[in-house]
Amino acid sequence: MKVLVTGGLGFIGSHTVVELQNKGFEVVIIDNLSNSSIDVIEGITKITNKRPAFEKLDLRDKQSTDQFFEKHKDITGVIHFAASKAVGESVKEPLMYYENNINTLVYMLQNLCQLDNKNFIFSSSCTVYGQADKLPVTESAPVKPAESPYGNTKQIGEEIIRDTCKVNKDLNAIALRYFNPIGAHPTSDIGELPIGVPQNLVPYITQTGIGMRDQLSVFGDDYPTEDGTCIRDYIHVVDLAKAHVIALERLIENKSDSNYEVFNLGTGKGSSVLEVIQSFEKVSGQKLNYKIVDRREGDVIAAYADTTHANKVLGWKTESTLDDAMASAWNWEKKIRKK
Ligand code: WQD
Protein backbone atom coordinates (compact mmCIF):
# COMPACT_ATOMS: atom_id res chain seq x y z
CA MET A 1 0.00 0.00 0.00
CA LYS A 2 1.33 3.43 -0.99
CA VAL A 3 1.45 6.14 1.67
CA LEU A 4 2.26 9.81 1.09
CA VAL A 5 4.32 11.40 3.87
CA THR A 6 4.56 15.17 3.50
CA GLY A 7 7.52 16.66 5.36
CA GLY A 8 8.89 13.12 5.31
CA LEU A 9 12.53 14.26 5.52
CA GLY A 10 11.90 16.22 8.70
CA PHE A 11 12.51 15.09 12.27
CA ILE A 12 9.27 13.22 13.03
CA GLY A 13 8.50 12.56 9.37
CA SER A 14 11.74 10.67 8.69
CA HIS A 15 11.30 8.48 11.77
CA THR A 16 7.73 7.74 10.68
CA VAL A 17 8.90 6.79 7.16
CA VAL A 18 11.26 4.25 8.77
CA GLU A 19 8.44 2.69 10.79
CA LEU A 20 6.10 2.65 7.77
CA GLN A 21 8.72 0.90 5.65
CA ASN A 22 9.43 -1.52 8.48
CA LYS A 23 5.74 -2.43 8.37
CA GLY A 24 5.87 -3.02 4.60
CA PHE A 25 4.25 0.18 3.37
CA GLU A 26 5.45 1.74 0.11
CA VAL A 27 6.30 5.36 0.96
CA VAL A 28 6.44 8.45 -1.23
CA ILE A 29 7.86 11.55 0.45
CA ILE A 30 7.13 15.15 -0.44
CA ASP A 31 9.45 17.71 1.12
CA ASN A 32 10.54 21.20 0.06
CA LEU A 33 13.82 20.81 2.01
CA SER A 34 13.22 24.13 3.80
CA ASN A 35 13.85 22.53 7.19
CA SER A 36 15.56 19.24 6.30
CA SER A 37 18.30 17.72 4.19
CA ILE A 38 18.20 15.39 1.16
CA ASP A 39 20.82 13.28 3.00
CA VAL A 40 18.08 12.06 5.34
CA ILE A 41 16.96 9.72 2.52
CA GLU A 42 20.32 7.90 2.85
CA GLY A 43 19.75 7.45 6.56
CA ILE A 44 16.24 6.06 6.05
CA THR A 45 17.50 3.72 3.30
CA LYS A 46 20.39 2.51 5.48
CA ILE A 47 18.03 1.65 8.35
CA THR A 48 15.30 -0.08 6.33
CA ASN A 49 17.26 -1.20 3.28
CA LYS A 50 14.48 0.40 1.20
CA ARG A 51 14.77 3.76 -0.56
CA PRO A 52 11.55 5.76 -0.28
CA ALA A 53 10.34 7.60 -3.37
CA PHE A 54 10.93 11.34 -3.03
CA GLU A 55 9.55 14.42 -4.77
CA LYS A 56 10.91 17.89 -3.95
CA LEU A 57 7.74 19.95 -3.96
CA ASP A 58 6.48 23.05 -2.19
CA LEU A 59 2.89 22.36 -1.18
CA ARG A 60 2.13 26.09 -1.26
CA ASP A 61 2.16 25.66 -5.04
CA LYS A 62 -1.39 24.41 -5.65
CA GLN A 63 -0.76 23.51 -9.29
CA SER A 64 2.22 21.29 -8.46
CA THR A 65 0.30 19.70 -5.61
CA ASP A 66 -2.63 18.93 -7.90
CA GLN A 67 -0.25 17.51 -10.52
CA PHE A 68 1.35 15.27 -7.89
CA PHE A 69 -2.01 13.74 -7.03
CA GLU A 70 -2.80 13.30 -10.72
CA LYS A 71 0.26 11.02 -10.86
CA HIS A 72 -0.47 9.22 -7.58
CA LYS A 73 -4.17 8.30 -7.54
CA ASP A 74 -3.31 4.97 -5.88
CA ILE A 75 -2.35 6.56 -2.55
CA THR A 76 -3.91 4.66 0.37
CA GLY A 77 -3.24 7.31 3.00
CA VAL A 78 -1.55 10.62 3.74
CA ILE A 79 0.45 11.53 6.82
CA HIS A 80 0.78 15.31 6.76
CA PHE A 81 3.81 16.66 8.64
CA ALA A 82 4.80 19.46 6.26
CA ALA A 83 4.46 22.73 8.18
CA SER A 84 6.51 25.45 9.83
CA LYS A 85 6.84 24.76 13.54
CA ALA A 86 8.89 27.40 15.36
CA VAL A 87 6.72 29.18 17.91
CA GLY A 88 8.92 32.28 18.18
CA GLU A 89 9.33 32.64 14.41
CA SER A 90 5.55 32.38 13.95
CA VAL A 91 5.06 35.48 16.14
CA LYS A 92 7.39 37.46 13.85
CA GLU A 93 6.09 35.95 10.55
CA PRO A 94 2.36 35.18 11.02
CA LEU A 95 1.42 35.34 7.32
CA MET A 96 4.25 32.95 6.38
CA TYR A 97 2.83 30.52 8.97
CA TYR A 98 -0.80 30.86 7.85
CA GLU A 99 0.19 30.41 4.21
CA ASN A 100 2.52 27.47 4.82
CA ASN A 101 0.47 25.64 7.43
CA ILE A 102 -3.09 26.36 6.33
CA ASN A 103 -3.08 26.76 2.52
CA THR A 104 -1.11 23.55 2.13
CA LEU A 105 -3.56 21.66 4.35
CA VAL A 106 -6.51 22.87 2.24
CA TYR A 107 -4.78 21.81 -1.03
CA MET A 108 -3.94 18.44 0.53
CA LEU A 109 -7.54 17.80 1.59
CA GLN A 110 -9.00 19.01 -1.73
CA ASN A 111 -6.87 16.42 -3.52
CA LEU A 112 -7.37 13.66 -0.98
CA CYS A 113 -11.15 13.96 -1.36
CA GLN A 114 -10.77 13.04 -5.06
CA LEU A 115 -9.03 9.72 -4.28
CA ASP A 116 -10.65 6.32 -3.76
CA ASN A 117 -8.91 5.96 -0.37
CA LYS A 118 -9.30 9.01 1.83
CA ASN A 119 -7.22 8.29 4.97
CA PHE A 120 -5.53 11.30 6.61
CA ILE A 121 -3.26 11.68 9.62
CA PHE A 122 -2.65 15.25 10.82
CA SER A 123 0.38 16.33 12.79
CA SER A 124 -1.06 18.42 15.60
CA SER A 125 0.34 19.56 18.93
CA CYS A 126 -0.41 19.81 22.64
CA THR A 127 0.09 23.53 22.04
CA VAL A 128 -3.64 23.65 21.27
CA TYR A 129 -4.36 23.23 24.99
CA GLY A 130 -2.26 26.20 26.13
CA GLN A 131 -1.94 25.93 29.91
CA ALA A 132 -4.48 23.18 30.61
CA ASP A 133 -6.59 23.67 33.76
CA LYS A 134 -6.24 20.01 34.70
CA LEU A 135 -3.18 17.74 34.45
CA PRO A 136 -2.56 15.25 32.96
CA VAL A 137 -4.25 16.63 29.83
CA THR A 138 -7.03 14.60 28.22
CA GLU A 139 -8.33 15.02 24.66
CA SER A 140 -11.49 16.57 26.09
CA ALA A 141 -9.52 19.42 27.68
CA PRO A 142 -10.68 22.72 26.17
CA VAL A 143 -8.71 24.13 23.26
CA LYS A 144 -7.65 27.57 24.49
CA PRO A 145 -6.93 30.76 22.53
CA ALA A 146 -3.56 30.07 20.90
CA GLU A 147 -0.51 31.79 22.38
CA SER A 148 1.19 31.95 18.95
CA PRO A 149 0.30 31.88 15.24
CA TYR A 150 1.99 28.48 15.12
CA GLY A 151 -0.36 27.11 17.78
CA ASN A 152 -3.28 28.81 16.02
CA THR A 153 -2.45 27.03 12.75
CA LYS A 154 -2.73 23.70 14.57
CA GLN A 155 -6.10 24.67 16.07
CA ILE A 156 -7.41 25.97 12.73
CA GLY A 157 -6.00 22.89 10.99
CA GLU A 158 -7.96 20.58 13.27
CA GLU A 159 -11.15 22.59 12.68
CA ILE A 160 -10.67 22.46 8.89
CA ILE A 161 -10.29 18.68 9.04
CA ARG A 162 -13.24 18.26 11.40
CA ASP A 163 -15.52 20.37 9.18
CA THR A 164 -14.37 18.54 6.03
CA CYS A 165 -15.01 15.15 7.65
CA LYS A 166 -18.54 16.28 8.53
CA VAL A 167 -19.49 16.58 4.86
CA ASN A 168 -17.21 13.87 3.47
CA LYS A 169 -18.24 10.74 5.35
CA ASP A 170 -15.75 8.65 3.35
CA LEU A 171 -12.86 10.85 4.55
CA ASN A 172 -11.26 9.19 7.61
CA ALA A 173 -8.98 11.44 9.65
CA ILE A 174 -7.02 11.36 12.89
CA ALA A 175 -5.30 14.36 14.51
CA LEU A 176 -2.31 13.39 16.65
CA ARG A 177 -1.46 15.96 19.35
CA TYR A 178 2.23 15.55 20.11
CA PHE A 179 3.70 16.57 23.42
CA ASN A 180 7.47 17.12 23.23
CA PRO A 181 9.20 14.88 20.67
CA ILE A 182 12.90 14.26 21.45
CA GLY A 183 15.68 11.79 20.70
CA ALA A 184 16.85 10.00 17.56
CA HIS A 185 16.73 6.58 15.92
CA PRO A 186 18.85 4.05 17.92
CA THR A 187 21.06 3.51 14.86
CA SER A 188 21.96 7.25 14.89
CA ASP A 189 21.38 7.17 11.12
CA ILE A 190 18.59 9.75 11.43
CA GLY A 191 17.76 12.32 14.10
CA GLU A 192 16.89 15.95 14.71
CA LEU A 193 18.66 18.47 12.46
CA PRO A 194 17.79 21.91 13.84
CA ILE A 195 18.79 24.73 11.48
CA GLY A 196 20.66 27.55 13.23
CA VAL A 197 20.36 28.05 16.97
CA PRO A 198 18.00 25.38 18.38
CA GLN A 199 14.81 26.79 19.89
CA ASN A 200 13.99 23.53 21.66
CA LEU A 201 15.55 22.32 24.91
CA VAL A 202 17.02 18.93 24.00
CA PRO A 203 18.96 19.85 20.86
CA TYR A 204 20.30 22.89 22.72
CA ILE A 205 21.44 20.60 25.53
CA THR A 206 23.23 18.17 23.21
CA GLN A 207 24.85 21.01 21.24
CA THR A 208 26.07 22.48 24.53
CA GLY A 209 27.32 19.05 25.56
CA ILE A 210 29.30 18.65 22.32
CA GLY A 211 30.78 22.16 22.65
CA MET A 212 28.85 23.86 19.82
CA ARG A 213 27.12 26.15 22.37
CA ASP A 214 28.85 27.62 25.40
CA GLN A 215 26.04 27.38 27.90
CA LEU A 216 22.36 26.42 28.12
CA SER A 217 20.05 29.15 29.42
CA VAL A 218 17.30 27.71 31.59
CA PHE A 219 14.28 29.95 31.08
CA GLY A 220 13.21 30.53 34.66
CA ASP A 221 13.32 28.56 37.90
CA ASP A 222 10.61 30.53 39.70
CA TYR A 223 7.61 28.57 38.44
CA PRO A 224 5.20 26.90 40.88
CA THR A 225 6.75 23.45 40.30
CA GLU A 226 8.85 21.20 42.54
CA ASP A 227 12.21 22.55 41.34
CA GLY A 228 10.87 25.82 39.91
CA THR A 229 11.40 24.90 36.24
CA CYS A 230 8.72 24.12 33.64
CA ILE A 231 7.40 20.63 33.17
CA ARG A 232 6.85 18.90 29.81
CA ASP A 233 6.10 15.41 28.50
CA TYR A 234 9.18 14.37 26.53
CA ILE A 235 8.33 11.51 24.16
CA HIS A 236 10.90 9.48 22.21
CA VAL A 237 10.48 10.25 18.50
CA VAL A 238 10.48 6.51 17.63
CA ASP A 239 7.55 5.88 19.98
CA LEU A 240 5.80 8.81 18.34
CA ALA A 241 6.54 7.45 14.84
CA LYS A 242 5.11 4.03 15.73
CA ALA A 243 1.87 5.67 16.85
CA HIS A 244 1.46 7.16 13.36
CA VAL A 245 1.63 3.72 11.74
CA ILE A 246 -0.93 2.33 14.19
CA ALA A 247 -3.23 5.30 13.60
CA LEU A 248 -2.95 4.91 9.82
CA GLU A 249 -3.73 1.18 10.05
CA ARG A 250 -6.79 2.07 12.14
CA LEU A 251 -8.03 4.32 9.35
CA ILE A 252 -7.27 1.85 6.55
CA GLU A 253 -9.09 -0.91 8.42
CA ASN A 254 -11.96 1.54 9.06
CA LYS A 255 -12.04 0.50 12.70
CA SER A 256 -13.72 3.57 14.08
CA ASP A 257 -17.40 4.52 14.11
CA SER A 258 -16.33 8.16 13.86
CA ASN A 259 -14.47 9.49 10.82
CA TYR A 260 -12.60 12.10 12.86
CA GLU A 261 -10.64 11.27 16.02
CA VAL A 262 -8.05 13.05 18.16
CA PHE A 263 -5.30 11.43 20.26
CA ASN A 264 -2.74 12.83 22.68
CA LEU A 265 0.69 11.31 22.14
CA GLY A 266 2.92 11.52 25.20
CA THR A 267 4.48 9.33 27.85
CA GLY A 268 2.00 10.46 30.50
CA LYS A 269 4.94 11.56 32.67
CA GLY A 270 6.05 15.14 33.22
CA SER A 271 9.74 16.05 33.52
CA SER A 272 11.16 19.41 34.57
CA VAL A 273 13.92 21.21 32.68
CA LEU A 274 16.36 20.40 35.50
CA GLU A 275 15.34 16.72 35.35
CA VAL A 276 16.10 16.69 31.62
CA ILE A 277 19.50 18.21 32.35
CA GLN A 278 20.10 15.56 35.03
CA SER A 279 19.13 12.86 32.53
CA PHE A 280 21.63 14.23 30.02
CA GLU A 281 24.40 14.31 32.65
CA LYS A 282 23.59 10.72 33.61
CA VAL A 283 23.60 9.28 30.08
CA SER A 284 26.57 11.36 28.86
CA GLY A 285 28.68 11.07 32.01
CA GLN A 286 29.47 14.79 31.78
CA LYS A 287 28.28 17.94 33.54
CA LEU A 288 26.23 20.40 31.52
CA ASN A 289 27.11 24.09 31.62
CA TYR A 290 23.88 26.01 32.23
CA LYS A 291 22.60 29.12 33.94
CA ILE A 292 19.17 30.23 35.10
CA VAL A 293 17.83 33.27 33.22
CA ASP A 294 14.47 35.01 32.97
CA ARG A 295 11.33 33.18 31.90
CA ARG A 296 10.61 32.80 28.16
CA GLU A 297 7.42 34.57 27.12
CA GLY A 298 4.59 32.22 26.18
CA ASP A 299 5.87 29.21 28.11
CA VAL A 300 3.21 27.23 29.93
CA ILE A 301 4.11 26.05 33.42
CA ALA A 302 3.34 22.37 32.92
CA ALA A 303 1.98 20.07 30.20
CA TYR A 304 1.90 16.29 30.20
CA ALA A 305 -0.51 13.87 28.57
CA ASP A 306 -3.26 11.65 29.86
CA THR A 307 -2.50 8.71 27.54
CA THR A 308 -5.56 6.59 28.43
CA HIS A 309 -7.37 7.24 25.13
CA ALA A 310 -4.39 6.36 22.92
CA ASN A 311 -3.49 3.36 25.11
CA LYS A 312 -7.04 1.97 25.01
CA VAL A 313 -8.22 2.84 21.50
CA LEU A 314 -4.95 2.62 19.55
CA GLY A 315 -3.46 -0.07 21.76
CA TRP A 316 -0.30 2.07 21.78
CA LYS A 317 1.95 3.22 24.59
CA THR A 318 5.47 4.54 24.81
CA GLU A 319 8.29 2.04 25.35
CA SER A 320 11.24 4.38 25.93
CA THR A 321 12.22 6.32 29.04
CA LEU A 322 13.54 9.88 29.25
CA ASP A 323 17.06 8.46 29.69
CA ASP A 324 16.65 6.28 26.56
CA ALA A 325 15.57 9.33 24.58
CA MET A 326 18.38 11.53 25.94
CA ALA A 327 20.96 8.80 25.23
CA SER A 328 19.72 8.51 21.63
CA ALA A 329 19.82 12.29 21.20
CA TRP A 330 23.37 12.41 22.60
CA ASN A 331 24.60 9.52 20.39
CA TRP A 332 23.12 11.27 17.36
CA GLU A 333 24.79 14.59 18.28
CA LYS A 334 28.17 12.88 18.68
CA LYS A 335 27.80 11.09 15.37
CA ILE A 336 26.83 14.11 13.25
CA ARG A 337 29.52 16.34 14.79
CA LYS A 338 32.19 13.74 14.00
CA LYS A 339 31.80 14.44 10.24
C1 WQD B 1 10.73 22.97 26.67
C2 WQD B 1 11.11 23.59 28.01
C3 WQD B 1 11.45 25.97 27.94
C4 WQD B 1 15.02 25.90 25.46
C5 WQD B 1 7.52 23.69 21.61
C6 WQD B 1 6.26 23.91 20.84
C7 WQD B 1 5.58 22.59 20.60
C8 WQD B 1 6.54 21.69 19.89
C9 WQD B 1 7.78 21.48 20.76
C10 WQD B 1 6.49 21.71 17.50
C11 WQD B 1 10.40 24.92 28.26
C12 WQD B 1 12.75 25.24 28.32
C13 WQD B 1 13.91 25.52 26.18
C14 WQD B 1 16.13 26.49 26.11
C15 WQD B 1 14.98 26.26 28.21
N1 WQD B 1 6.89 22.25 18.65
N2 WQD B 1 13.90 25.69 27.53
N3 WQD B 1 16.06 26.64 27.48
O1 WQD B 1 8.13 25.15 24.19
O2 WQD B 1 7.45 22.96 25.32
O3 WQD B 1 7.20 23.18 22.87
O4 WQD B 1 8.37 22.79 20.95
O5 WQD B 1 5.82 20.73 17.33
O6 WQD B 1 4.45 22.79 19.80
O7 WQD B 1 5.40 24.73 21.61
O8 WQD B 1 9.46 23.00 23.84
O9 WQD B 1 11.86 22.48 23.90
O10 WQD B 1 11.14 24.86 23.37
O11 WQD B 1 10.91 24.00 25.68
O12 WQD B 1 14.94 26.41 29.42
O13 WQD B 1 17.17 26.87 25.51
O14 WQD B 1 12.50 23.88 28.01
O15 WQD B 1 11.31 27.15 28.73
O16 WQD B 1 10.11 25.01 29.63
P1 WQD B 1 8.03 23.66 24.16
P2 WQD B 1 10.92 23.61 24.13
Side-chain angles (χ1 to χ4, degrees), residues 24-45:
F25 285 97
E26 180 198 343
V27 175
V28 54
I29 292 171
I30 287 178
D31 205 300
N32 68 0
L33 299 178
S34 64
N35 191 22
S36 57
S37 157
I38 192 71
D39 298 341
V40 172
I41 291 185
E42 305 315 321
I44 294 169
T45 308

Side-chain angles (χ1 to χ4, degrees), residues 51-223:
R51 178 173 290 272
F54 168 70
E55 297 212 13
K56 184 175 185 292
L57 199 157
D58 190 323
L59 294 171
R60 290 172 295 190
D61 176 346
K62 181 171 182 345
Q63 196 183 5
S64 311
T65 305
D66 295 350
Q67 284 164 356
F68 172 88
F69 278 92
E70 274 305 308
K71 279 189 317 184
H72 296 275
K73 292 185 181 301
D74 56 344
I75 283 171
T76 304
V78 177
I79 304 183
H80 185 52
F81 291 103
S84 301
K85 62 163 201 167
V87 173
E89 182 188 51
S90 76
V91 173
K92 297 189 194 98
E93 305 272 358
L95 287 177
M96 188 260 272
Y97 270 70
Y98 288 113
E99 182 191 33
N100 195 37
N101 293 9
I102 303 297
N103 291 11
T104 57
L105 173 63
V106 170
Y107 302 156
M108 195 52 55
L109 290 172
Q110 285 171 332
N111 279 286
L112 184 65
C113 287
Q114 307 306 316
L115 300 183
D116 293 339
N117 297 301
K118 304 171 179 68
N119 299 303
F120 189 70
I121 303 278
F122 179 62
S123 167
S124 191
S125 169
C126 64
T127 303
V128 302
Y129 298 115
Q131 177 56 67
D133 302 324
K134 237 170 109 286
L135 291 171
V137 192
T138 68
E139 286 80 357
S140 52
V143 170
K144 292 201 171 166
E147 313 239 346
S148 70
Y150 161 75
N152 206 22
T153 65
K154 291 302 178 186
Q155 291 181 7
I156 297 169
E158 289 190 9
E159 288 163 12
I160 290 171
I161 297 162
R162 189 199 54 211
D163 292 346
T164 309
C165 286
K166 271 186 196 143
V167 290
N168 294 277
K169 286 305 176 196
D170 56 354
L171 170 62
N172 283 332
I174 286 177
L176 297 175
R177 291 173 177 169
Y178 313 152
F179 279 69
N180 287 58
I182 64 168
H185 195 268
T187 60
S188 295
D189 286 326
I190 54 174
E192 192 167 7
L193 280 170
I195 294 176
V197 179
Q199 301 305 304
N200 294 130
L201 177 66
V202 170
Y204 205 105
I205 286 179
T206 56
Q207 287 190 11
T208 303
I210 204 90
M212 265 183 81
R213 310 285 163 203
D214 292 338
Q215 186 178 52
L216 169 76
S217 296
V218 172
F219 298 139
D221 69 346
D222 56 350
Y223 285 96

Side-chain angles (χ1 to χ4, degrees), residues 282-298:
K282 178 179 161 196
V283 302
S284 67
Q286 63 184 64
K287 295 303 279 176
L288 187 81
N289 181 16
Y290 70 90
K291 66 179 175 192
I292 307 294
V293 299
D294 292 339
R295 296 181 174 191
R296 180 174 68 175
E297 205 184 320

